[in-house]
Amino acid sequence: MYLLIFCASCVSSGVAAGPRLNNNQLYKFSYTTEVLIDKARGSKEGSAGYRISSDVDVNLVWRDPSSKDDQLIKLAMSNLRIEPVSQTSEKKNILHGATTESVLGKTKLAALTKPFLLHLKNGKAKAFYSYWEEPTTIKNLKRGLASLLQVQLNTGKVVENDVSGRCTVEYKAVKGQVTRTKILETCNTAETGFTTHSKVLGVSSKASSVTVFTLEDGFIRSAVAEETHTLAVNVRKSTAAKVVSRQTLTLVGKEAGPVEAAGKDVAGVVKSVDTKLAAVGIVAEKVKSQCKGCPSLFEHWQAEKKQLEPASLSKATAPRSFLALIQSIRKASKDEILKVLKSADKASLPQVVDAVTSSQTTASLDAMLEFLNFTDAKGLVLQERFLYACGFASHPNERMLEALLDISKGKIGSTDIKESVVIIMGALVHKLCQKGGCNLPTVVKVKKMILDGPKSTNEESEVQMYLLALKNSLLLEAIPIFTKYAESEVGAYCTIALTALQRYDVSLMTSEVKQTVNRVYHQNRRIYEKNVRAAAADVILSSNPSYMEIKNLLLSIGNLPHEMNKYMLSKIQDIIRFQMPASKVLRQAMKDMISHNYDRFAKVGSSSAYSGFMAQSADVSSTYSLDILYSGSGILRRSNMNIYGASNGAMLHGLQVAIEAQGLESLIAATPDEGEEDLESFAGMSALLFDVQLRPVTFFKGYSDLMSKMFSMTGEPMNVVKGLILLSDHSEVIQLQSGLKANAEFQGGLAIDISGGMEISLWYRESKTSVNNRGALVVTGNITVDMDFLRTGVEVSFETEAALDFITTVQFSEYPFLVCMQMDKTTFPVSEYLTKYERLSSGKSIKSRKGRKMLIPGSEFPLHQENSNMCKKVFDSSW
């Protein structure tokens, strides 16, 4: 009550809530607004950008007789100048020889110098009056100037509307000076962008906006505002750009001004000033930018298509052209996109499908659905490329999922495509749920379909399909299903279920789940295949195991099949050496001599598990792991290679390539291990890429298929994944306080080729498995300010081309057999570029590009010492 009485007394005594203008006085200001765009740390040659300067006359038009803080203010800009923000040579100065009128044009210059009105009440902008027919960019510039007059004279937090939107603002008032700090993350604007769901592959941003007001005689003597937005790629923070907006309003003099208008209310006074003036809103309008002289999508495609041919996919030019094509597709209509799809030749068409699908617009999705015929089995390659691009989508929407659901309900010519559709739907469910869309109608339908799927069919391939879809979805409701199938009699179901459980957060591993996984590993209810038990062990060791779980696991070593003993020993040693979360309890359990003794820890064999760092930096750390499990006869049972990336406290499963083989003992007249006597001959590969499980690939299945493949083996690897992937995708419109708008586009494109193969030579009693990874990566970050009459921007980028090969050679002519694992990366280049560009509406443009290139030497990734000794023997015997 006392506070209310105090506030009331303040108002009645005439204490100002905001700046007050004197009657019959003209305030003359100088005003500058500038925008600078550069890489985050700045560059020697200076920032790209420009400065607009003018004189501004401000006077009081009307004041409410009952409140001195309710004012209608007139502002008029004159004597406009436009110049670059950085000093540069005449050759590099796009504005050299140009006048303000030639840059802006007569219409825009006349509009900008036309007076406008601001209704200011208690220091807050209540209304902004200008002309509807004025160009949007001109109105926004006027809004930026008008917003500088909005100031609160007492300390505190408030919510205000200005050119930036509706924002929370904090004021600090100290002796004739007020500091206004705008909390930009609270601003609500009409224009929203999108960003990649993965924090590792995403973009981080920082922003600040501070205005310092100096007051004199109750009104503003000066206002200095600076707003900065910095965006950086998480995996490489040096690939960062910033936009800085500055405004300076300085009082240069006062003189006699017009007489205050008479009137009862603001609306009547505004009408008396000019009947065409209208309340157009203080918040900035959306600017529709039109690119004059830009090539059409078809013309762009003609220029880029050579870079997207298969032979170019291992070069950085491929993903760079891919990213540029996506930008063009996003502005194109369905008919324009179809024209490109129909004109592309057979070799480049799959890459066009990647680009069109990755664009993720309504027009691009409609074009793809019309172009592809899912009833035709011959179109498998294009159909699968479309589905994989959907799975890797950076910001999928409900309509994309609905399209896949409709495809799954229709006639599909290929069984492989039918499986891929369902598996990818699981990935889209996960991404939509991450964005809070778990209750969208289509998501609910697909969730029900894949959750009910495993029990709705007796077909082994269909059950696997639904389990893989659930593995991609990471739905909480799927945990009981995986728990059930972990104890299945079908080894493939068990493996999928167990590897899926390992992807969930440790906190979700309930006692029921842990009991089930332990039963599988210890074979309490039935005999399981070795690779199933190994998968169960992985789940136990990665799920915050208890002391007793670890002790029981240690006690099992010595009672396992030979190679399983060696695998488990290697796994435990790797966890301790690499200091994984389970290492602490492992060390504690190994103090017990019953579970940790020579008899257990001296088992021989060739199976192994090893983890190491691929790269470590302040921005990101990348780790790899290689797990190899052999059968007692020396033939590969399971090979599992994983690559993880960690950044910003988040983890990304970048790559998993698993090769499995079974039932091959008859080839060398060997005895199968326990629980594997009746297994059908089979070899295949499964890939998980950027947290998305893909459809497994089969090398051969059945004895007759095996023998035909054996005699037709060329040694050439089988392709698992090939194409262009939009790794990161960030787009936002930054509304600056000056009224200017900055468009930020950060994208990462990857050209990838993953293949794998398996060769068996009965003559030399040798087998060789290989996983070959080839890739080219380009990440670009663009910040552009487009004012219709002048466009300026900066692009920061980096690119690299790399190859990673994993080869395992096994000689099984004697026991213990010789195994050599090699994981090699070739020498690869890393290039960084900074590009600045400016363009006038007349067509005149200037572009500069600087870059640096470095070579990262190739190396063979270290594995355990036993492997090095074994490789020496293998190569010596081969020689």
Side-chain angles (χ1 to χ4, degrees), residues 709-772:
K709 295 277 173 64
M710 283 277 293
F711 290 112
S712 62
M713 268 185 184
T714 62
E716 291 295 316
M718 181 181 286
N719 182 258
V720 180
V721 183
K722 188 172 188 175
L724 292 154
I725 300 172
L726 184 61
L727 274 189
S728 55
D729 195 13
H730 178 93
S731 177
E732 68 174 297
V733 176
I734 302 170
Q735 177 57 59
L736 302 171
Q737 190 175 291
S738 61
L740 301 174
K741 285 180 186 278
N743 291 287
E745 301 276 348
F746 277 67
Q747 291 182 306
L750 177 70
I752 193 166
D753 184 355
I754 301 176
S755 56
M758 186 174 184
E759 297 175 60
I760 301 174
S761 171
L762 298 180
W763 183 263
Y764 293 105
R765 297 181 74 81
E766 181 179 279
S767 72
K768 183 179 283 189
T769 58
S770 63
V771 177
N772 310 112

Side-chain angles (χ1 to χ4, degrees), residues 23 53 89 162 212 225 243 266 291 320 367 376 412 487 497 610 678 695 714 721 724 771 775 823 846:
N23 299 345
S53 307
S89 64
D162 70 0
V212 179
V243 56
V266 172
C291 189
R320 188 171 279 279
D376 183 9
I412 299 176
E487 293 187 281
Y610 189 86
D678 301 320
R695 179 182 60 82
T714 62
V721 183
L724 292 154
V771 177
M823 189 171 173
I846 289 177

Side-chain angles (χ1 to χ4, degrees), residues 41 55 85 117 156 324 375 387 586 661 735 783 826 841 854 866:
R41 294 181 180 177
D55 299 333
V85 289
L117 303 178
T375 62
L387 293 170
L586 261 170
Q735 177 57 59
I783 297 184
T826 58
S841 57
M854 62 195 92
E866 285 181 29

Side-chain angles (χ1 to χ4, degrees), residues 232-380:
V233 177
N234 287 339
V235 295
R236 194 179 180 89
K237 293 289 176 64
S238 60
T239 304
K242 69 177 178 181
V243 56
V244 179
S245 171
R246 296 190 184 117
Q247 289 173 280
T248 305
L249 184 67
T250 307
L251 182 65
V252 293
K254 302 176 189 175
E255 52 184 64
V259 178
E260 184 183 335
K264 293 182 179 180
D265 57 27
V266 172
V269 175
V270 171
K271 212 168 191 179
S272 69
V273 173
D274 189 339
T275 54
K276 291 184 179 178
L277 278 169
V280 295
I282 191 72
V283 177
E285 291 178 56
K286 188 175 181 178
V287 179
K288 292 181 180 179
S289 58
Q290 293 181 340
C291 189
K292 296 175 183 176
C294 289
S296 66
L297 173 61
F298 187 77
E299 290 169 337
H300 191 169
W301 158 242
Q302 292 296 315
E304 301 284 358
K305 66 178 181 180
K306 194 173 181 182
Q307 310 301 334
L308 295 175
E309 290 177 355
S312 302
L313 285 185
S314 59
K315 299 173 185 174
T317 50
R320 188 171 279 279
S321 295
F322 169 67
L323 295 179
L325 192 60
I326 285 174
Q327 292 293 351
S328 289
I329 294 169
R330 283 179 172 169
K331 299 167 189 168
S333 66
K334 173 187 166 184
D335 290 339
E336 288 177 295
I337 297 168
L338 279 170
K339 183 180 178 182
V340 171
L341 285 165
K342 290 173 181 177
S343 69
D345 57 39
K346 188 177 180 181
S348 58
L349 185 54
Q351 287 72 257
V352 179
V353 170
D354 291 338
V356 172
T357 312
S358 299
S359 300
Q360 299 168 73
T361 64
T362 302
S364 65
L365 181 59
D366 288 343
M368 286 308 311
L369 294 174
E370 184 173 321
F371 182 73
L372 294 174
N373 177 13
F374 282 89
T375 62
D376 183 9
K378 293 177 183 177
L380 183 143

Side-chain angles (χ1 to χ4, degrees), residues 395-402 405 425 428-449 475 477:
H395 54 283
N397 55 24
E398 186 183 11
R399 192 169 176 277
M400 181 180 277
L401 180 63
E402 189 177 13
L405 181 61
M425 277 200 288
L428 291 183
V429 165
H430 176 57
K431 290 183 179 182
L432 290 168
C433 284
Q434 275 186 316
K435 295 196 300 180
C438 243
N439 294 319
L440 292 169
T442 309
V443 176
V444 172
K445 286 180 190 174
V446 175
K447 279 167 62 178
K448 187 177 189 310
M449 181 183 113
L475 291 169
E477 304 95 310

Side-chain angles (χ1 to χ4, degrees), residues 624-838:
Y624 67 91
S625 67
L626 291 172
D627 295 355
I628 308 280
L629 178 64
Y630 291 97
S631 66
S633 57
I635 293 177
L636 175 76
R637 190 67 179 85
R638 186 184 80 161
S639 162
N640 198 355
M641 180 179 78
N642 291 281
I643 297 176
Y644 293 90
S647 178
N648 274 22
M651 181 75 78
L652 174 71
H653 199 166
L655 175 67
Q656 181 187 72
V657 179
I659 295 178
E660 287 199 17
Q662 66 180 39
L664 305 183
E665 285 76 13
S666 58
L667 290 174
I668 56 173
T671 304
D673 291 334
E674 181 188 22
E676 301 181 356
E677 297 86 355
D678 301 320
L679 292 179
E680 182 182 29
S681 299
F682 167 83
M685 177 186 284
S686 172
L688 183 147
L689 193 59
F690 302 112
D691 281 332
V692 177
Q693 172 71 56
L694 307 179
R695 179 182 60 82
V697 174
T698 300
F699 296 148
F700 56 79
K701 188 172 185 179
Y703 189 77
S704 59
D705 190 24
L706 164 62
M707 295 313 295
S708 67
K709 295 277 173 64
M710 283 277 293
F711 290 112
S712 62
M713 268 185 184
T714 62
E716 291 295 316
M718 181 181 286
N719 182 258
V720 180
V721 183
K722 188 172 188 175
L724 292 154
I725 300 172
L726 184 61
L727 274 189
S728 55
D729 195 13
H730 178 93
S731 177
E732 68 174 297
V733 176
I734 302 170
Q735 177 57 59
L736 302 171
Q737 190 175 291
S738 61
L740 301 174
K741 285 180 186 278
N743 291 287
E745 301 276 348
F746 277 67
Q747 291 182 306
L750 177 70
I752 193 166
D753 184 355
I754 301 176
S755 56
M758 186 174 184
E759 297 175 60
I760 301 174
S761 171
L762 298 180
W763 183 263
Y764 293 105
R765 297 181 74 81
E766 181 179 279
S767 72
K768 183 179 283 189
T769 58
S770 63
V771 177
N772 310 112
N773 304 281
R774 301 284 181 274
L777 172 68
V778 172
V779 176
T780 64
N782 273 282
I783 297 184
T784 308
V785 175
D786 192 346
M787 284 286 291
D788 287 345
F789 52 85
L790 176 58
R791 185 172 187 261
T792 185
V794 161
E795 179 186 275
V796 289
S797 66
F798 79 89
E799 58 187 45
T800 186
E801 300 165 5
L804 179 68
D805 296 322
F806 172 47
I807 301 166
T808 306
T809 306
V810 183
Q811 292 182 352
F812 45 85
S813 55
E814 57 184 276
Y815 193 86
F817 38 86
L818 301 176
V819 180
C820 172
M821 294 182 293
Q822 297 165 275
M823 189 171 173
D824 302 327
K825 68 171 181 180
T826 58
T827 296
F828 63 94
V830 176
S831 303
E832 291 183 322
Y833 298 101
L834 172 65
T835 308
K836 297 179 181 179
Y837 47 88
E838 293 177 313

